[in-house]
Amino acid sequence: MYKNLKTGQVIWIVLWILELTSCEFTVTIPKSLQVAELGQDVVMACSFTMNGDLDIKNIIITWQRGEEVVHSFYYGQDQLHTQSRSYTSRTSLYVSNIIKGNASLMLKSVSAVDRGDYTCSVSTSIGSQKKTFLLVIAAFYTEPVMQIKVLPQTVAFSFYSEGYPNSTIQWLSEDGLDMTNLTDSSYTEKDNGLLSVKSTLMTKRNLNTSFTFILQNCVLEQKIIRTFSLISDNAPSKDYDGSCKNNLLLLVPICFFVSVTALAYVLMRKHIDTSTSVPTLNQLLP
Ligand SMILES: *[C@@H]1O[C@H](CO)[C@@H](O)[C@H](O)[C@H]1NC(C)=O
Ligand SMILES: *[C@@H]1O[C@H](CO)[C@@H](O)[C@H](O)[C@H]1NC(C)=O
Ligand SMILES: *[C@@H]1O[C@H](CO)[C@@H](O)[C@H](O)[C@H]1NC(C)=O
Ligand SMILES: *[C@@H]1O[C@H](CO)[C@@H](O)[C@H](O)[C@H]1NC(C)=O
């Protein structure tokens, strides 16, 4: 008796929940941040409750960005005369899926200016609702091009990469000390909409140095970690001074040799001159 009552209650609750959800008209968008990759196509997901009425003519879908109409659908077809110019030929709905409650919009070749708040509004014979979300534009940073420039006293470690939006850069020494303060980073906006970054760490030329940089694109949760290692067998400063001294030491005998040779040549020349002048004198004499 008690068992039966309990089952009856459960059934009643389930029916009540079903009835409640089926009556309520909702528009659903993803809870996660919507990110579009720069230059790529994006599907902005949006779905709505369908209930019995399978007549597509009773469904009105409007996509807006602020006041701008991105895409409009009613009377069972796209209504593109109302569309804002910046979206011409760039949008489409999945028309055959609309009847299944799919109002997702495909937006083609996304650029940086497409970032913004988008609203998906749906109206059917059982109700209407709208939902707004932020569309963020991003691009993964490219594999960094790394460069080491070795000068007599200093070494410059640098890398170059491009992505979108802005990145954060951190440099660490071998011991894990933050060297970011000692670095120089420059950011440039490129024609393709990407941001390029070049970061350089300049240090004294030490033996066996190693530095690590961390490049992050927070929007895409991208993290690039690369390490520079410079290995050398002998001390650069000694090497540099030594070669100078060696050159000086070599120079002394060379100078000596050159001077002696020159002197010998001059002396010999003098001797030859006198010896050749003798016959001339003899010739002059009768
Ligand atoms: C809508 O339909 C498209 C195409 O089949 C699909 O890619 C997308 O995931 C659907 N969206 C939703 C919210 O169901
Ligand atoms: C990127 O961030 C850096 C520092 O974090 C800043 O100096 C630079 O102006 C930013 N660039 C752009 C294009 O936002
Ligand atoms: C170095 O960086 C730290 C944060 O890591 C900052 O608080 C400090 O002001 C910086 N020092 C200089 C000289 O830029
Ligand atoms: C630097 O490292 C290399 C290889 O790891 C080693 O052969 C060399 O002796 C090191 N130089 C110094 C000065 O420690």
Side-chain angles (χ1 to χ4, degrees):
M1 182 66 188
Y2 173 74
K3 228 178 184 175
N4 281 347
L5 242 173
K6 208 185 170 188
T7 320
Q9 274 177 338
V10 170
I11 289 169
W12 185 82
I13 290 167
V14 168
L15 283 175
W16 178 73
I17 290 170
L18 274 177
E19 196 184 359
L20 202 118
T21 49
S22 65
C23 274
E24 201 176 22
F25 178 81
T26 48
V27 165
T28 312
I29 53 163
K31 286 189 176 74
S32 56
L33 181 70
Q34 299 237 41
V35 180
E37 238 193 286
L38 197 74
Q40 304 294 306
D41 303 343
V42 65
V43 176
M44 294 190 275
C46 180
S47 57
F48 57 95
T49 332
M50 274 307 286
N51 183 24
D53 186 357
L54 291 178
D55 191 353
I56 200 168
K57 293 215 172 82
N58 292 334
I59 300 170
I60 300 170
I61 299 171
T62 312
W63 276 91
Q64 277 178 276
R65 185 189 158 187
E67 295 300 306
E68 246 181 320
V69 175
V70 176
H71 197 101
S72 177
F73 181 96
Y74 52 86
Y75 297 149
Q77 57 189 33
D78 293 320
Q79 304 290 340
L80 299 177
H81 56 275
T82 58
Q83 184 180 47
S84 162
R85 256 189 209 160
S86 40
Y87 296 100
T88 306
S89 311
R90 293 180 61 211
T91 60
S92 57
L93 294 167
Y94 297 95
V95 177
S96 57
N97 287 356
I98 289 175
I99 213 75
K100 299 174 196 155
N102 185 328
S104 299
L105 183 78
M106 147 89 94
L107 178 62
K108 281 185 202 146
S109 59
V110 166
S111 71
V113 295
D114 288 323
R115 182 198 151 92
D117 286 320
Y118 287 78
T119 303
C120 170
S121 327
V122 184
S123 205
T124 72
S125 54
I126 57 160
S128 60
Q129 200 175 45
K130 55 171 92 172
K131 289 277 167 71
T132 300
F133 62 89
L134 174 68
L135 180 73
V136 173
I137 316 299
F140 285 98
Y141 273 83
T142 53
E143 178 58 35
V145 176
M146 294 158 71
Q147 197 178 52
I148 302 180
K149 198 170 178 181
V150 181
L151 298 163
Q153 307 294 339
T154 56
V155 185
F157 300 93
S158 55
F159 73 85
Y160 174 91
S161 178
E162 47 187 65
Y164 192 84
N166 218 345
S167 56
T168 61
I169 294 160
Q170 192 185 22
W171 284 85
L172 300 173
S173 74
E174 214 168 347
D175 312 323
L177 292 173
D178 195 319
M179 309 294 285
T180 315
N181 278 350
L182 304 172
T183 63
D184 179 34
S185 299
S186 59
Y187 300 83
T188 321
E189 217 168 299
K190 306 211 36 194
D191 290 341
N192 57 9
L194 293 175
L195 281 177
S196 75
V197 59
K198 187 176 185 203
S199 186
T200 305
L201 171 68
M202 189 95 130
T203 67
K204 268 198 191 149
R205 196 179 149 188
N206 288 318
L207 293 166
N208 294 356
T209 36
S210 150
F211 291 99
T212 297
F213 67 84
I214 305 165
L215 170 72
Q216 273 181 282
N217 182 338
C218 299
V219 171
L220 294 172
E221 290 174 13
Q222 181 192 17
K223 196 173 191 176
I224 298 177
I225 304 173
R226 298 288 181 272
T227 299
F228 282 103
S229 294
L230 189 66
I231 293 167
S232 89
D233 288 330
N234 33 39
S237 50
K238 274 187 204 158
D239 192 311
Y240 183 71
D241 292 349
S243 63
C244 271
K245 274 179 201 150
N246 282 349
N247 284 348
L248 271 177
L249 284 176
L250 258 177
L251 215 62
V252 175
I254 287 172
C255 284
F256 182 73
F257 179 74
V258 168
S259 325
V260 169
T261 317
L263 193 70
Y265 178 74
V266 169
L267 285 175
M268 267 174 75
R269 205 45 212 261
K270 216 170 181 183
H271 177 74
I272 290 164
D273 279 352
T274 36
S275 60
T276 48
S277 66
V278 173
T280 329
L281 269 172
N282 286 345
Q283 274 175 351
L284 280 171
L285 290 168

